[in-house]
Amino acid sequence: MKVWGRKDSTNVKKVLWCADELGLEVEHQPLGGRYGGLDEPVYREMNPNGLIPCLQDGDLVLWESNAIVRYLGAQYGAGRVYATDPKRRANADKWMDWASTTLVGAYKDWFINRVRKTPETRDAAAMERGLRFLREQLAVVDQALARQPYLSGDDFGMGDIPLGCLSYPWFELDDQRPHLPHLEAWYHRLAERPAYRHRVMIEIS
């Protein structure tokens, strides 16, 4: 099994974290960003979008991080990260897609300006707009976590992975976070997981 992508990419983190949770041996090939290589013909043949991550498992080549996480869970982690009950699995799917659609645009507005731009080049209005939206939407998560310990339900699962990857910079960088006790408790539960510490809690860049 092989995964292409730079390890500090949120989407690559999802895949590597999931693989670690399942105890899978993965060959990791850094690609994208400072490593380049996204426009190489051999990579474009695997992923015509020229994005990361990309996974090869035997004769299967797969891109889109959430699809990869679902595949790994179904193939290697049924009953663990991947719920076998359709209702439980649908609830986990819901949070995976929510983090990757509803939340991620505002997250990028905040994160890119906060981390990757200098004070002189930041779009302050976009950063503030993103921060405001994140605060509002993470309150929704906090309410959900008041009723269950994980977004996936009673146990950790794939529904926790996308937001878990976004949460590390949020908790480490934002000194204006609202107090959301259930979200904070969930984050601390994730931080106790060795795979999360290994794959997600790395240098923010």
Side-chain angles (χ1 to χ4, degrees):
M1 185 181 296
K2 188 171 182 177
V3 172
W4 287 263
R6 53 184 176 81
K7 67 179 182 179
D8 55 353
S9 157
T10 295
N11 289 330
V12 176
K13 285 181 178 182
K14 295 180 197 176
V15 174
L16 296 177
W17 175 20
C18 182
D20 275 17
E21 290 284 353
L22 297 173
L24 300 175
E25 291 189 12
V26 176
E27 179 186 349
H28 174 225
Q29 177 63 51
L31 195 79
R34 59 192 175 278
Y35 301 104
L38 295 178
D39 291 324
E40 293 295 327
V42 65
Y43 186 72
R44 284 292 182 130
E45 187 175 345
M46 293 189 298
N47 186 349
N49 302 290
L51 300 172
I52 52 174
C54 186
L55 171 121
Q56 183 178 33
D57 186 20
D59 61 357
L60 174 69
V61 174
L62 192 61
W63 36 266
E64 287 296 330
S65 58
N66 283 359
I68 296 172
V69 168
R70 290 181 175 111
Y71 164 73
L72 293 177
Q75 183 75 357
Y76 300 105
R80 290 186 289 164
V81 302
Y82 188 87
T84 54
D85 176 73
K87 293 180 180 178
R88 288 182 56 211
R89 189 167 63 248
N91 273 315
D93 275 329
K94 171 186 69 180
W95 287 111
M96 291 184 75
D97 293 342
W98 179 87
S100 301
T101 56
T102 300
L103 199 69
V104 77
Y107 182 88
K108 286 181 177 179
D109 283 341
W110 167 71
F111 180 83
I112 290 172
N113 282 289
R114 175 70 170 80
V115 175
R116 296 182 180 166
K117 294 191 175 182
T118 66
E120 294 76 22
T121 61
R122 284 175 184 160
D123 183 337
M127 189 167 79
E128 180 56 36
R129 184 171 60 248
L131 188 57
R132 183 168 60 251
F133 187 83
L134 288 173
R135 290 169 178 156
E136 294 169 356
Q137 293 301 307
L138 290 175
V140 174
V141 185
D142 189 69
Q143 293 170 12
L145 291 169
R147 300 187 293 272
Q148 59 193 49
Y150 294 96
L151 294 176
S152 300
D154 291 334
D155 301 300
F156 169 82
M158 66 183 189
D160 300 278
I161 288 176
L163 186 58
C165 290
L166 298 176
S167 292
Y168 175 58
W170 173 255
F171 278 99
E172 294 302 311
L173 293 176
D174 182 26
D175 56 4
Q176 303 178 60
R177 292 189 310 274
H179 179 55
L180 300 172
H182 308 293
L183 181 70
E184 291 170 13
W186 168 80
Y187 171 72
H188 289 307
R189 283 191 288 273
L190 295 185
E192 292 173 354
R193 307 184 73 86
Y196 185 80
R197 293 197 300 271
H198 179 216
R199 294 299 190 180
V200 180
M201 301 179 78
I202 62 176
E203 183 180 358
I204 298 168
S205 61

